Amino acid sequence: MSWRETLGAPPSTERPYTHNSQNTQKHTEPGNCADIADSAYRDSKQESSKLLEALADACRGLAITPTEVKLALAAEDIDDWRNGTISTDTLAAFAHSLVQRRDMDQGKCPDDYTETATCKHCGPIWLWFSGEVLGCPWCWNRAADKPIPRPCSVHCGDCIHFKRINHPHLGHCSKGEPEAIAGLWDMDRRYCECFLPRPQQTHNDQPRPPRADTKR
Ligand SMILES: [Zn+2]
């Protein structure tokens, strides 16, 4: 018979006791943790206000608030700022690009997008240089189903949203662009911010005479 049984103590007493002793040790920790958390909180608050100060300089003259820019910064960006590898100029450029992106999301063309270019996926676009591109800043609008301002008019027949009816030239717009009762004429030129080019058949690829021959 053990001493516990002799004294009538329940057999499980020992275990809770050890638990308790662990708990007692741990009890001191939350206090330490709270202190550490408290000072970390103060540090991060101080740092946050320093960052907001720097961003206030960066946002001067721009239609965006320091808090909005701060929210857009990635954790790595904030690390870089903390380490002094991001200058106020860089922050200003970032703030400017955010304002520009916001305007573009609303279909507004940036002032420096003065050239006409063609994006493979977006069609005719405004850009800061001319030519043909495989992707462009307006691709974000396309992906988000937002309007893309155009430098020129387009043919409905070249657009993926043009749904042909049983007629050689007529169809309807699946994006709900205004149209006559009969529909839209495929070769009519119109200005459209919803236009998206139909994927081109292998036009730009190298000519393949044998294939062309067998087709005709
Ligand atoms: Zn594009």
Side-chain angles (χ1 to χ4, degrees):
M1 214 176 232
S2 79
W3 66 269
R4 281 186 189 82
E5 282 169 301
T6 317
L7 296 173
S12 57
T13 313
E14 195 180 8
R15 284 201 147 203
Y17 189 75
T18 23
H19 269 270
N20 280 346
S21 77
Q22 279 174 358
N23 282 349
T24 329
Q25 278 179 351
K26 274 188 182 163
H27 254 247
T28 56
E29 280 174 32
N32 293 339
C33 284
D35 282 349
I36 292 164
D38 209 33
S39 83
Y41 174 72
R42 275 199 307 273
D43 284 354
S44 83
K45 247 195 127 178
Q46 213 169 24
E47 183 185 275
S48 171
S49 73
K50 265 183 85 181
L51 176 57
L52 285 173
E53 246 172 67
L55 289 174
D57 283 341
C59 292
R60 200 154 290 157
L62 294 173
I64 193 164
T65 67
T67 308
E68 285 171 318
V69 179
K70 184 173 172 252
L71 284 174
L73 285 171
E76 304 87 73
D77 297 334
I78 295 178
D79 281 347
D80 286 349
W81 170 78
R82 194 180 290 128
N83 299 331
T85 47
I86 284 190
S87 66
T88 306
D89 283 351
T90 309
L91 287 177
F94 179 64
H96 177 264
S97 73
L98 286 177
V99 174
Q100 183 166 299
R101 187 64 252 169
R102 206 162 60 179
D103 285 349
M104 289 176 78
D105 283 347
Q106 291 165 11
K108 286 186 210 159
C109 188
D111 292 341
D112 54 339
Y113 283 29
T114 54
E115 303 295 319
T116 298
T118 305
C119 171
K120 187 184 177 192
H121 303 286
C122 302
I125 48 158
W126 289 110
L127 210 57
W128 65 94
F129 62 91
S130 60
E132 295 196 2
V133 291
L134 294 176
C136 74
W138 299 106
C139 284
W140 293 101
N141 288 48
R142 180 172 52 79
D145 205 15
K146 287 174 176 166
I148 300 173
R150 304 295 178 179
C152 61
S153 53
V154 289
H155 291 133
C156 287
D158 297 335
C159 176
I160 59 169
H161 301 126
F162 185 67
K163 303 297 170 208
R164 290 186 181 277
I165 56 172
N166 193 17
H167 184 281
H169 290 289
L170 286 171
H172 294 290
C173 177
S174 66
K175 295 301 276 182
E177 283 291 301
E179 52 181 61
I181 294 170
L184 293 157
W185 194 264
D186 59 359
M187 291 313 286
D188 269 357
R189 294 193 76 87
R190 56 192 299 278
Y191 176 84
C192 186
E193 298 193 336
C194 295
F195 174 86
L196 290 180
R198 265 176 204 290
Q200 292 283 307
Q201 306 288 322
T202 50
H203 271 184
N204 297 334
D205 291 357
Q206 296 157 356
R208 294 176 190 158
R211 254 187 142 189
D213 284 344
T214 48
K215 260 189 185 172
R216 282 164 200 218

